[in-house]
Amino acid sequence: MDYIEHILGIALIVLYWLFTAVVTLRVLGKRTPVSVTLSWLLVIYILPVVGAALYLMLGELNLGRQRARRAEEMVEPFLSSIAEDFQGPRGSLPVARWCRAFTRCCSSVWGLGHWVTSR
């Protein structure tokens, strides 16, 4: 029985170091900034199995082709809806009598008074 436990212990140690080495090589192969790489390596080696599992779950952003395509398809409708929302007022706004001169100046000099009418 001691022999089986000994072999099982050695096998678990070998599997742990193999798993850690594979995840380490994956972190190094991603070509991320040095600070990010060192941070993930620190997490992997300080938290033995949990750190490697955290990296595999959170460390790599993998959207997938279909999700990336859907995100690209949403950009154009979003930008067109923003353009429609910010086109400016549809009708004319009333202007008080005391600011008609200022309105005429703005419309003649800068072309800003096209949406203002006098009352």
Side-chain angles (χ1 to χ4, degrees), residues 16-68:
Y16 163 71
W17 282 108
L18 186 64
F19 180 63
T20 304
V22 167
V23 174
T24 300
L25 290 175
R26 185 150 178 104
V27 169
L28 294 174
K30 289 298 281 186
R31 299 279 186 185
T32 56
V34 174
S35 60
V36 175
T37 302
L38 289 177
S39 299
W40 275 116
L41 289 176
L42 186 68
V43 169
I44 289 168
Y45 285 105
I46 287 181
L47 304 172
V49 175
V50 176
L54 280 174
Y55 174 76
L56 293 176
M57 286 189 298
L58 304 174
E60 296 185 12
L61 181 62
N62 187 10
L63 289 177
R65 290 183 181 153
Q66 185 177 7
R67 190 168 175 190

Side-chain angles (χ1 to χ4, degrees), residues 52-104:
L54 280 174
Y55 174 76
L56 293 176
M57 286 189 298
L58 304 174
E60 296 185 12
L61 181 62
N62 187 10
L63 289 177
R65 290 183 181 153
Q66 185 177 7
R67 190 168 175 190
R69 182 183 47 78
R70 280 186 293 177
E72 283 182 17
E73 289 174 358
M74 291 175 18
V75 169
E76 185 60 36
F78 178 72
L79 292 177
S80 64
S81 71
I82 288 177
E84 289 174 8
D85 290 342
F86 292 105
Q87 283 181 355
R90 301 272 188 252
S92 300
L93 298 175
V95 176
R97 207 175 307 163
W98 60 272
C99 64
R100 286 185 189 156
F102 179 72
T103 304
R104 280 193 298 263

